[in-house]
Structure formats: C-alpha cells, structure tokens
C-alpha cells in the first residue's frame, strides 16, 4: 500500500493540472508524500544551463522507472536571448528558472541550481574560469551531491573543447570532480558540506556522439497508465523552454537515447555489455520500477486547499486562510495537524466529504526570487547553496497537513496558498499569495540615456502598488538632479487595497555629461518606501516579481544625431533598443511587421529592424520586399543581427554565410581594429574612436557572418584571443539609391546598459553620409 500511494501521486501529476498554482501549472513536486516511504534509486543530472538537460532520459527515469531524479544547472541561463519578451540578464534568469520548474512538474524530476551567473557565451573553459572561480562552483556541486546523495551521476557534456561553450565544459569538469571527491572530508569538511557520500556510477550523455555509446535506452516506451510515451512527456517538458524557442515534437514509437558509462564503483558487466544503467546496484533495496507500469490502487485521493482573503499581503501583516481538506476516496481519513485557533484537531473525514477550518498566515518576508535578495558578487550569486532543491524551497512556503487513510500510513499533504477568483474570460484563476511592501513604487526604467547638455522633455512614470488592507493616501515625491525640473515634485492620491496606480511627471531640462539619479519616494501611514517590483508573467510559468530601488540612473552622453531624423522601428526579440533611441531624442515610430504593406515607408529617413526579427516573424519575411524596395528608392535600412534565416535568398540584398557554429566575439573588451577609419559610419555625425568601445557588457558581437559578398563594405575587425579577426561586425552596401546596413555588433545589449559608445555608433547608423 505504501508503494501504491507514492507511485500514483508521481504519475498523476503528469496529466492533471494542479489548481493550486498561479497559472494552472502543476506543483513542482508531488503534493502528497508518505512518511517512512521506501528508499528510491537516485540519479543526479548535471549541466550548465536551463535546457541542457536531456528530458527524454529524465522522463524515462522519473516517470518510467520511478527513480528519484534531479537536474542540477550551474546557472539560471541569464546570459541567453529571449524569444518571448524583452527581459534579459537577471530577469531572463528568472523566466528560465521558472521554465525549468515547469519542465520538472511534467517530467517528474527535482531541480537544483548552483550560484553561477550566466555571463554569456564563452569559448573555452579557461575563459569561463575567469568569471567563475572553479572551486566556487565545485563547492556548490559538492553541497548538492552530499545533500541529494545520488547513486548515479550523469552529465550532458564531456568536459572537453568539443563541448563548444566553455560553460558546458566546466559543468562536466566539476561534475566529475565532485563524483571523484564526494567522500573526501579533508577537502570538503562535513561541517560545511554535509556527510560524505559515494556515488556509484558515472555516465555521460552520448546523444551528440552516438558512436561512443555503451548503452541504448528506448525512451519511446509507452506508459499505458499515463497514456503517453516517455518521449511524449519529455517533449512537453522540453517545450516549456519557450524563451529559448525549444518547442519539441511529440513522437510515437521507438525513440533511442544513448549514454556512455565512464566509471563504476560497483561490480558490473563491461561497459559495452551493460543492459541497464542500474546493473550492479542493489535494486532489491532501492525502489526501481523495472518493466511495464501497472496502474496502482489509491485508497484515498486527498485534496487540500488554502485560499487567502487577498492576493497581496503587506510585509508584517497577516492574511486569513480558508482551509479545506477533501476526501474524494473510498475510505475515511483521519486529519492530524489542522489548526482551529490554538486547538489541533484530530478529525475523521468520511468519503465524499470535507473538513473546513481557518488559519492565519503572517507575512514575514518579501516574496521575490531568493537568489536576487542580495547583490551579485561578480558572476556569482551571493546567497549560499544549502542543498535544498528549488522545488522543495517552493514547497516550503505551502500549507501542509498530515492525514492517515484508514488502514494506511500517515501521508503529508501540501498545497500552495492562493487567492482564488473567477475571470469572465479565463474562468478559474488562482494566484499565489505574495508578501510585498505596504506600498511599492517602481519607475519605468532603471537606466536611461540622454544627450549631454541638450534640453529635453521626458515623462517619468511612477507605478504604485498597494498591499495595505485599507484605503490610504499616498504621497510620491520626486528627487531630481541639478539641471532638471518637473511640473510637480510631489503628488498625493488615495489608493484602495490592492490597487495599482501610475503617476506621470513631466521632467525637462539639460544635464552635463556623466551619471545622474532621479529618485521617487512614496509615503503612507508614516512610512517611506523607495523600492518597487517589476512583474514577470507568462502563461506557461508561475508569476514572479523582481525588486529594484525606485531610482533611474540617467547617463548623459555626448551623442550627436543626424538632422531631421524620422525613424521606423520594427521590433525584434529581447529588444529594448527603441526606448533608448527615444530617450536620446530620436523621433521614432514602432511599425509592426504585419503593417509594412499599408505603411507609407517613404516618410522615414531610416528604418531599423530589431535583433532576430526575421527568425521570430514570418510576416517580416513575407513583407521583406517592402523594405528592400524602400532601400532601392533611397532609404536607409539598419538590420540588427539574425541567425541562419539571414542566409535565405531574398532576405538580404547580397549574400552572407554563417558557419554552423556562428562566429562571435565574446570578450567584451576584445581589441577593435578600424580597417576603414574613413568610413562614413565611423565619422558622422559622431567621430568613433577606441573610447567608444570601452565599458561594453557581455560581448562585442554575435552571430557574425563568416563570409560575405564583395558588395559589402566593412570598417571594423575584432576577434577573441587566439582567433582570426572577423570583419563583419558592420556590413554596409549601396542598394539602388539607398543604403543597407547589417549589424552583428551586440548593440542590443549596450544601449539598454547605458554604454555611451553603443549610442554613438547607433546614431551614426541612422544617418550621415551615404555609403558608396
């Protein structure tokens, strides 16, 4: 009976939506746990990023063989790109963290993270070590290994240059080191890292090198209880990585996946003769479901609800919770641990009935991504790794209850605490209860750029969110640097409980070159507030909030603009360029790719296409002829980098090629050579110098063409250490009576980060002399 309860909970979570989470998502782990359950086999998979894991094998292990499986990612994928929104950096890391948790809800595994901040693509392990002291991440992996105690360790990568990405290499290197030294208490003391542990087998994924495989596994095996194969489950899991465009096809029938055994500490057949990764392990003691799954009997399906009386709770306040335990099974259950006031009830709940009571939840800590609660230390997050999985950390904030089915063992039931309401369009909506400051005040930008010593008018928007339990007057005061003035420096409004309001201040004036601060302070009920949050919400993940000070860092830079600019901007992905151009005083119109045929493009002095726009928009590809015609008739088109789609005939006026592993310059400080210093793009209206390449972030250029047609003019060359220069950072060509410019410089990172040189280069791309 114990095994039946454990198995059905793990299996049922694949297909049944859990109604106790914000977006109808499944809980991160089983919502019912049995006390004194038999020990299960444990497997730990280690990679560098979200989406490095092999969900096929993870689903086969966790769902098919009932193995307790976990994925440890060294990073949260902060340095990647974003196909679904404009979040980059830490905000993208929040999205990708939630995407991994969504994936684990489907494939049944646990999720761990190390402290690595994904600083962007790196080409070697040595380059990666400059950002991540290797012992730091090894310590993290060791902490997880000793806490989780895996019998089998699997890595995605080999730890050699063939892995490509330096972060991939490091993930495999530290995985093997942790496997080798997990029992070493001299180097890794018990007090710091926990009790020693000896993993017994070490495997590497051989999907990238199937010729090296020592074992093949049919992950296409069909599970009659779940109604899906493990590959189909894995496809749904993989498809949660939507920000990275990882949508995956469900496939029926036999699907092979491959592993290479690299070490075994137990007697086992030779690696090439091994028939099971569990060979040599004591599967009589460790729970492993071998062979076909049979549907277990569950004597007492149990559901717990914890409904809060509000969605947002002010820090220090308490929310009333309506608690309900439902017995939807066939036998009575005894409830223990349900609090009614100060009395703990021991209540019998009959089949098809429920027990209700009230509890109170005290808001003692702000709800936010825990790893962002302190500033980063370089490229490592600051809070230490404790060996608690991300899904278990999430579960710790749920409501918990112990029950005993008649004739069975005690099980723990847990559910998220939610605010429950109906939406006329979406229907049933349940949002997790969050704890927030009484008043949150968020300015619309954290960083802005303006032209130094040039008068400008700008709107500063302060978004207020109230978590207070009653209506309250709130006063917002704006603090401005010398040189700026506002239509009013203080305003007062009355905010209802849970309300969101936006106040707009008209700010004008000029600032000298340098960095300046605009700060907003909200005051209510005798308290002052200077922080706010930015919501991160997408349908496939649980909502999150990122806190930041209510301050705008204004970078006043020396940038000249071409005369009479009128720019159309076709947005790309992960694209925050347009707002910065507007801050600099560029007259700009956002044009959707669908609207190109009916838009009078001739009125624009330049058109800009955002990064990866052609990849993400079929409409842009379909309507590309309108852009090329605009150039032929005398217009200037600036296209930011794309990927393989840019090689398709008809996209660009003259061909380019990208190598299979596209060239890029990942060192943001890499030397830049001016191969054509007289190029108009380097001279007007701003004289570009080496100073304009100082202070860059993350990378110089990405997805650079490796070859290009002779029509293209080049002016810059750059390369990472030990590589040949690439001259395709900016390609410009006359086309008809106009100019076509293709840019693989990482300007999409530099402008939002406030890098002056990025703004000066972009201004030159928008106008100036014609390329001949």
């Amino acid at each position: 009976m114990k095994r039946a309860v454990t198995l059905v909970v793990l299996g049922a979570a694949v297909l049944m939506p859990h109604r106790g989470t914000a977006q109808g998502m499944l809980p991160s782990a089983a919502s019912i746990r049995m006390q004194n359950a038999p020990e299960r086999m444990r497997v730990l998979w280690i990679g560098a990023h979200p989406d490095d894991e092999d969900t096929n094998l993870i689903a086969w292990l966790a769902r098919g063989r009932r193995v307790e499986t976990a994925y440890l990612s060294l990073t949260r994928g902060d340095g990647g790109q974003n196909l679904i929104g404009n979040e980059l950096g830490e905000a993208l890391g929040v999205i990708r963290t939630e995407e991994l948790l969504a994936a684990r809800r489907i494939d049944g595994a646990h999720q761990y993270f190390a402290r690595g901040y994904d600083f962007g693509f790196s080409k070697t392990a040595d380059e990666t070590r400059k950002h991540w002291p290797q012992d730091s991440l090894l310590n993290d992996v060791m902490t997880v290994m000793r806490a989780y105690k895996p019998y089998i360790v699997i890595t995605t990568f080999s730890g050699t240059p063939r892995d490509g990405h330096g972060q991939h290499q490091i993930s495999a290197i530290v995985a093997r080191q942790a496997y080798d030294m997990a029992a070493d208490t001299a180097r890794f003391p018990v007090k710091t890292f926990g009790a020693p542990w000896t993993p017994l087998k070490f495997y590497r994924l051989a999907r990238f090198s199937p010729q090296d495989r020592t074992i093949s596994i049919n992950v296409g095996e069909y599970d009659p209880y779940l109604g899906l194969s493990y590959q189909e489950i894995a496809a749904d899991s993989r498809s949660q990585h939507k920000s990275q465009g990882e949508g995956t096809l469900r496939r029926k029938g036999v699907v092979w996946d491959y592993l290479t055994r690299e070490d075994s500490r137990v007697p086992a057949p030779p690696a090439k003769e091994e028939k099971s990764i569990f060979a040599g392990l004591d599967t009589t003691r460790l729970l492993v479901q071998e062979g076909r799954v049979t549907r277990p009997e569950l004597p007492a399906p149990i559901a717990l609800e914890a409904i809060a009386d509000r969605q947002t709770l002010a820090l220090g306040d308490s929310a009333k919770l309506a608690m309900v335990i439902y017995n939807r099974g066939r036998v009575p259950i005894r409830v223990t641990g349900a609090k009614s006031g100060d009395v703990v009830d021991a209540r019998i709940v009959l089949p098809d009935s429920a027990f209700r009571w009230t509890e109170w939840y005290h808001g003692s800590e702000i709800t936010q991504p825990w790893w962002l609660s302190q500033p980063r230390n370089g490229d490592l997050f600051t809070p230490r790794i404790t060996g608690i999985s991300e899904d278990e950390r999430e579960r710790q904030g749920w409501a918990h209850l112990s029950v005993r089915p008649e004739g069975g063992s005690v099980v723990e039931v847990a559910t998220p605490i939610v605010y429950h309401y109906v939406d006329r369009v979406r229907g049933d909506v349940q949002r997790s209860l969050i704890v927030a400051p009484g008043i949150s005040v968020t300015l619309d930008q954290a960083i802005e750029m303006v032209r130094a010593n040039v008068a400008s008018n700008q709107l500063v928007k302060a978004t207020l969110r109230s978590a207070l339990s009653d209506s309250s007057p709130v006063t917002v005061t704006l603090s401005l640097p010398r040189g700026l003035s506002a239509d009013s420096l203080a305003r007062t409004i009355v905010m209802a409980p849970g309300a969101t309001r936006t106040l707009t201040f008209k700010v004008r004036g000029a600032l000298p070159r340098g960095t300046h601060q605009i700060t907003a302070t909200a005051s209510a009920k005798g308290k002052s507030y200077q922080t706010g949050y930015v919501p991160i919400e997408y349908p496939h993940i649980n909502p999150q909030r990122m806190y930041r000070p209510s301050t705008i860092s204004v970078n006043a830079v020396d940038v000249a603009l071409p005369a009479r600019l009128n720019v159309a901007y076709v947005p790309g992905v992960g694209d925050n360029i347009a707002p910065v151009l507007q801050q600099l005083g560029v007259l700009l119109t956002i044009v959707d790719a669908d609207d190109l045929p009916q838009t009078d493009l001739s009125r624009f002095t330049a058109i800009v296409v955002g990064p990866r726009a052609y990849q993400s928009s079929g409409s842009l590809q379909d309507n590309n002829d309108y852009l090329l015609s605009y150039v032929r008739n005398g217009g200037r088109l600036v296209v930011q980098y794309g990927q393989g789609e840019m090689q398709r005939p008809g996209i660009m006026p003259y061909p380019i090629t990208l190598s299979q592993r596209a060239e890029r310059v990942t060192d943001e400080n890499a030397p830049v050579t001016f191969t054509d210093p007289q190029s108009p793009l380097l001279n007007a209206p701003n004289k570009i110098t080496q100073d304009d390449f100082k202070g860059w972030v993350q990378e110089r250029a990405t997805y650079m063409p490796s070859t290009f047609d002779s029509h293209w003019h080049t002016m810059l060359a750059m390369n990472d250490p030990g590589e040949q220069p690439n001259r395709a950072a900016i390609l410009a060509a006359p086309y008809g009576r106009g100019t076509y410019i293709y840019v693989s410089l990482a300007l999409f990172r530099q402008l939002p980060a406030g890098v002056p040189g990025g703004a000066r280069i972009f201004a030159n791309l928008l106008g100036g002399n014609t390329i001949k």
Side-chain angles (χ1 to χ4, degrees), residues 333-405:
I333 61 173
R334 176 180 293 272
V335 177
T336 61
K339 295 182 179 179
S340 181
D342 294 327
V343 180
V344 176
D345 290 329
R347 188 71 60 96
I348 299 295
V349 183
L350 299 176
D352 295 322
S353 61
F355 172 49
R356 292 173 169 81
W357 72 101
T358 298
E359 291 191 11
W360 291 88
Y361 180 88
H362 183 67
S364 59
E365 185 177 353
I366 295 291
T367 306
Q368 63 179 321
W370 65 272
W371 65 95
L372 298 178
S373 61
Q374 304 173 41
R376 282 200 329 267
N377 179 13
D379 288 322
L380 292 175
F381 290 107
T382 301
R384 64 182 295 267
I385 299 300
T386 61
I388 299 174
S389 68
E390 200 77 16
D391 48 275
E392 182 62 28
R393 186 182 293 273
E394 178 182 74
R395 198 175 189 272
Q396 288 176 349
W398 293 2
H400 295 256
L401 183 67
S402 296
V403 301
R404 182 192 295 272

Side-chain angles (χ1 to χ4, degrees), residues 225-240:
Y225 171 51
L226 301 175
L228 294 169
S229 73
Y230 303 119
Q231 189 284 331
E232 290 176 296
I233 295 169
D236 292 350
S237 171
R238 185 76 177 177
S239 296
Q240 300 309 303

Side-chain angles (χ1 to χ4, degrees), residues 203 206 210 212-216 258-262 270-275:
Y203 288 86
D212 297 334
R213 67 186 183 274
T214 59
I215 189 168
S216 303
Y258 309 109
L259 292 171
T260 299
R261 195 182 83 193
E262 296 201 335
K272 288 283 189 178
E273 299 176 13
E274 205 172 49
K275 303 300 183 185

Side-chain angles (χ1 to χ4, degrees), residues 49-61:
H49 310 103
D51 76 18
D52 283 350
E53 78 277 21
D54 187 313
T55 55
N56 287 324
L57 281 168
I58 286 177
W60 179 84
L61 286 164

Side-chain angles (χ1 to χ4, degrees), residues 413-425:
V413 188
T415 190
I417 300 170
V418 300
Y419 178 69
H420 192 183
Y421 65 97
V422 63
D423 182 275
R424 294 290 296 273
V425 175

